[in-house]
């Protein structure tokens, strides 16, 4: 709505957004990424809005809100594509050479778009509550200070009880380490050689991982650990009345949640690959890793159907060919 009202001021931005939205809409995987990040921001930022505007709930409500938001988003989108985080996409790119740079950038854009519209939905639904809160506090669309509401949409460094704000270096460490923990956990949960979880359980475990990171490392920075989840809503808040201060506040803090999680993605990938990834081994019969033996229900039905038309004398190699062809592929999807 804000972009539409200011079309004459930002024609390039609006045109670019429209073209990109069309590009995302014609690709199912990109639509899934956009939907996932939309849900994360809708439910996660919604929990922040309720906490800030109602004056109750506390930080635990926010941690639980984002944990459940991630659980819901991953569970819904995992069958198609569930990176939902540019840091995760970068980690997959570093670990899986089949993902190209161009495709990675397309996924990043779709994630930002989903996050932008998720924030737009929160802004629209809490519009009256925001105006009432600003009227009561006497400050309109504050970015910093005790009555700040910009923190509903994006992360900002906290103010310690003594009045000090953590340095940018400290914030980078928190975001990078938190993201590294996330990447290590995601790889462990989706590694094919570990017998990966079904979408419902995967979503639940990733949500628990996000909750643990928030409870342990979330206070100083708000634990963005997701550039799209922070940048898309930040752009929305800039367009919806908070202005350019959302980018300049705290010495251009917006760069930290944009870059530090990508550094954490590289660190997490390196640590998992060299310290936690199980070796790929074959048994005495020459059978492949467990990912080829753990068939989905659909693949099992296909195999059973083919066996009806296969003679009893079929060789072990022929059966293994069917298993390999029908088994799930590698990667985080």
């Amino acid at each position: 709505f804000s972009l539409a009202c200011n079309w004459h001021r930002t024609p390039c931005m609006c045109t670019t957004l429209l073209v990109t939205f069309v590009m995302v809409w014609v690709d199912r995987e990109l639509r899934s990424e956009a939907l996932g990040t939309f849900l994360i921001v809708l439910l996660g930022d919604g929990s922040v809005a309720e906490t800030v505007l109602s004056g109750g709930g506390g930080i635990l409500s926010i941690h639980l809100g984002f944990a459940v938001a991630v659980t819901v988003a991953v569970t819904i989108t995992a069958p198609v594509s569930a990176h939902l985080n540019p840091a995760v996409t970068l980690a997959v790119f570093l670990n899986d050479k089949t993902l190209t740079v161009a495709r990675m950038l397309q996924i990043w854009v779709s994630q930002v778009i989903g996050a932008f519209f998720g924030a737009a939905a929160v802004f629209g639904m809490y519009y009256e509550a925001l105006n009432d809160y600003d009227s009561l506090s006497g400050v309109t669309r504050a970015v910093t200070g005790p009555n700040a509401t910009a923190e509903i949409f994006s992360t900002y460094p906290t103010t310690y009880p003594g009045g000090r704000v953590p340095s940018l270096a400290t914030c980078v460490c928190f975001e990078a380490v938190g993201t590294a923990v996330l990447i290590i956990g995601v790889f462990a949960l989706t590694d094919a050689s570990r017998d990966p979880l079904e979408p419902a359980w995967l979503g639940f475990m990733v949500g628990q991982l996000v909750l643990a990171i928030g409870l342990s490392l979330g206070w100083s920075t708000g634990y963005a650990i997701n550039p799209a989840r922070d940048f898309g809503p930040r752009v929305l808040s800039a367009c919806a009345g908070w202005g350019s201060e959302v980018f300049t506040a705290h010495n251009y803090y917006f760069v930290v949640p944009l870059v530090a999680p990508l550094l954490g993605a590289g660190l997490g990938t390196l640590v998992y690959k060299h310290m936690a990834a199980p070796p790929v081994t074959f048994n005495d019969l020459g059978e492949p890793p467990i990912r080829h033996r753990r068939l989905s229900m659909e693949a099992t039905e296909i195999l059973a159907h083919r066996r009806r038309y296969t003679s009893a004398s079929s060789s072990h190699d022929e059966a293994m060919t069917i298993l390999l062809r029908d088994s799930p592929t590698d990667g985080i999807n």
Side-chain angles (χ1 to χ4, degrees):
F1 175 77
S2 177
L3 287 173
C5 291
N6 293 279
W7 176 271
H8 62 288
R9 298 180 182 177
T10 56
C12 293
M13 179 180 178
C14 293
T15 303
T16 302
L17 183 62
L18 179 62
V19 172
T20 308
F21 181 77
V22 172
M23 179 194 73
V24 170
W25 187 252
V26 300
D27 188 303
R28 181 172 181 173
E29 184 178 0
L30 298 184
R31 290 201 305 269
S32 177
E33 291 288 339
L35 173 62
T37 50
F38 173 86
L39 291 172
I40 290 175
V41 173
L42 175 68
L43 301 178
D45 282 5
S47 68
V48 182
E50 284 207 0
T51 300
V52 171
L53 300 179
S54 68
I59 193 171
L60 182 59
S61 296
I62 297 174
H63 293 329
L64 291 173
F66 270 103
V68 175
V70 171
T71 297
V72 171
V74 173
T75 301
I76 291 174
T77 62
V80 181
S81 179
H83 295 177
L84 313 184
N85 184 338
V88 174
T89 306
L90 177 60
V92 173
F93 170 77
L94 296 174
N95 192 57
D96 182 5
K97 302 305 179 183
T98 61
L99 182 65
T100 64
V101 174
R103 187 59 176 175
M104 179 179 68
L105 295 177
Q106 291 175 357
I107 293 174
W108 281 4
V109 171
S110 66
Q111 291 163 349
V112 173
I113 287 179
F116 177 90
F117 283 104
V122 172
F123 175 73
M125 289 186 290
Y126 282 96
Y127 181 77
E128 292 181 351
L130 280 166
N131 290 339
D132 183 74
Y133 183 89
D134 286 346
S135 298
L136 184 64
S137 64
V139 181
T140 302
R141 302 295 188 263
V143 176
T144 59
N147 298 312
T149 50
E151 62 187 17
I152 291 174
F153 303 98
S154 298
T155 61
Y156 296 86
T158 191
T159 300
Y160 294 140
R164 182 174 181 177
V165 175
S167 65
L168 292 181
T170 298
C171 293
V172 168
C173 289
F174 271 101
E175 287 293 321
V177 172
T179 307
V181 172
L182 175 67
I183 296 303
I184 294 171
V186 168
F187 274 144
L189 293 170
T190 57
D191 193 332
S193 61
R194 289 176 177 260
D195 196 12
L197 302 174
E198 296 297 330
W201 281 109
L202 175 62
F204 176 77
M205 292 306 298
V206 174
Q208 296 303 298
L209 181 60
V210 170
L211 177 60
I213 295 171
L215 292 172
S216 304
L217 305 172
W219 180 39
S220 293
T221 63
Y223 75 113
I225 60 174
N226 184 338
R229 164 263 178 277
D230 187 270
F231 186 71
R234 195 178 296 271
V235 173
L236 182 280
S237 62
C239 298
W242 283 266
S244 61
E245 189 181 355
V246 299
F247 296 105
T248 61
H250 300 291
N251 295 320
Y252 296 89
Y253 175 80
F254 86 97
V255 176
V256 173
L258 196 62
V259 176
L262 301 182
L263 299 177
L267 175 62
T269 303
L270 186 66
V271 170
Y272 181 79
K273 188 173 183 179
H274 294 283
M275 300 180 68
V280 177
T281 58
F282 291 78
N283 62 19
D284 295 337
L285 297 177
E287 292 176 334
I290 195 169
R291 67 177 182 273
H292 294 310
R293 291 184 277 112
R294 183 181 182 276
L295 299 179
S296 64
M297 183 179 296
E298 180 181 359
T300 303
E301 291 176 354
I302 293 174
L303 180 59
H305 176 75
R306 291 183 179 181
R307 280 176 174 170
R308 295 192 189 101
Y309 300 94
T310 303
S311 64
S313 60
S314 294
S315 65
H316 176 269
D317 291 339
E318 191 174 0
M320 287 307 304
T321 300
I322 296 174
L323 285 171
L324 292 172
R325 184 166 57 244
D326 292 337
S327 61
T329 57
D330 292 332
I332 302 175
N333 295 310

